[in-house]
Amino acid sequence: MAPKKKFSKDDIIEAAFEIAREEGIDSISVRKVADKIGSSIAPIYVNFTDVDELKNAVLNKIHDISQQMLMTKYSENPFLNIGIASLKFAREYKVLFKDLVMNSNTHLKNVQPSNSSLLEQMKQGSRLDGFTDEELADILFKMKVFQMGLSVMDVYGFLPEEFTEEKLIEVLEGTGKDVIAAAGLRQAGRLD
């Protein structure tokens, strides 16, 4: 008799992640993961007390992926890189993005970076010098609203076909410049 194949905790998390990527986080079940790795449910319960613990491990993996994307230098502009990372995540992980953003669940707060870390990333660019933390937070919020809407329109196919990733980044960058310019005018007392 051949020895039974051993499955590591990482193998199990990867299988559960693939299920989440294809079907959504709430589609993860112990049985589906066992089927995906070709085993009984025993290896899953050896590594995780229940399906919620496994889902939390998948959410940690999603958080790590989004952090890695946030740290990637897509342009010379650290603030623009935040938006590009968000757009790229939505495009590459459409089902997860839809699940995290559009479904009424608490998963999104577990994978989103903190505002304080995003503000620190924004401060790395000279374009935002001279703004207070409160003003930077306002700029960030406005761009999050725009980027989220743009991502939703993209993943649901509501944008014209000619909207390539490059075009989306161009629109994102232009809107960011407009929001920053308006914040500068407001700061100077030239805009209500």
Side-chain angles (χ1 to χ4, degrees):
M1 182 177 210
K4 289 186 178 181
K5 185 174 189 290
K6 302 246 185 212
F7 297 98
S8 70
K9 193 170 194 169
D10 288 339
D11 293 335
I12 295 165
I13 293 169
E14 186 60 35
F17 172 76
E18 287 306 317
I19 291 166
R21 186 177 185 171
E22 296 164 10
E23 302 174 37
I25 295 163
D26 290 329
S27 294
I28 297 171
S29 72
V30 172
R31 172 54 46 211
K32 278 186 182 179
V33 173
D35 290 346
K36 187 113 176 138
I37 62 174
S39 80
S40 70
I41 61 173
I44 292 119
Y45 283 116
V46 165
N47 289 283
F48 299 94
T49 55
D50 57 27
V51 73
D52 290 331
E53 185 181 356
L54 177 55
K55 286 179 182 180
N56 284 331
V58 171
L59 289 169
N60 287 336
K61 180 177 177 71
I62 295 167
H63 178 268
D64 292 347
I65 290 168
S66 66
Q67 284 298 119
Q68 183 179 4
M69 293 176 99
L70 270 174
M71 295 300 118
T72 300
K73 186 176 179 181
Y74 300 105
S75 74
E76 294 301 316
N77 181 340
F79 183 46
L80 178 59
N81 288 337
I82 296 169
I84 293 172
S86 297
L87 284 173
K88 285 184 174 287
F89 181 89
R91 292 188 126 212
E92 189 170 335
Y93 303 100
K94 286 182 181 185
V95 172
L96 284 175
F97 173 80
K98 289 176 183 179
D99 193 30
L100 292 167
V101 172
M102 301 304 288
N103 292 339
S104 179
N105 63 47
T106 59
H107 302 312
L108 184 59
K109 69 178 177 148
N110 295 325
V111 299
Q112 279 191 320
S114 69
N115 272 354
S116 61
S117 69
L118 294 175
L119 291 174
E120 287 307 311
Q121 188 169 344
M122 289 170 67
K123 290 176 184 178
Q124 294 173 12
S126 60
R127 183 174 291 171
L128 295 170
D129 285 348
F131 288 107
T132 66
D133 283 356
E134 185 177 318
E135 290 166 331
L136 289 173
D138 187 55
I139 291 168
L140 177 62
F141 176 76
K142 289 174 181 172
M143 286 309 299
K144 276 182 162 183
V145 170
F146 178 78
Q147 176 275 317
M148 184 69 70
L150 188 61
S151 293
V152 167
M153 291 178 74
D154 183 37
V155 299
Y156 280 97
F158 296 147
L159 295 173
E161 286 184 30
E162 65 270 12
F163 268 68
T164 62
E165 188 170 293
E166 291 77 25
K167 177 69 174 169
L168 289 172
I169 292 169
E170 184 181 306
V171 169
L172 185 67
E173 183 174 26
T175 303
K177 287 178 181 178
D178 292 347
V179 169
I180 292 167
L185 290 172
R186 187 171 290 106
Q187 187 184 54
R190 296 175 44 208
L191 189 64
D192 291 336

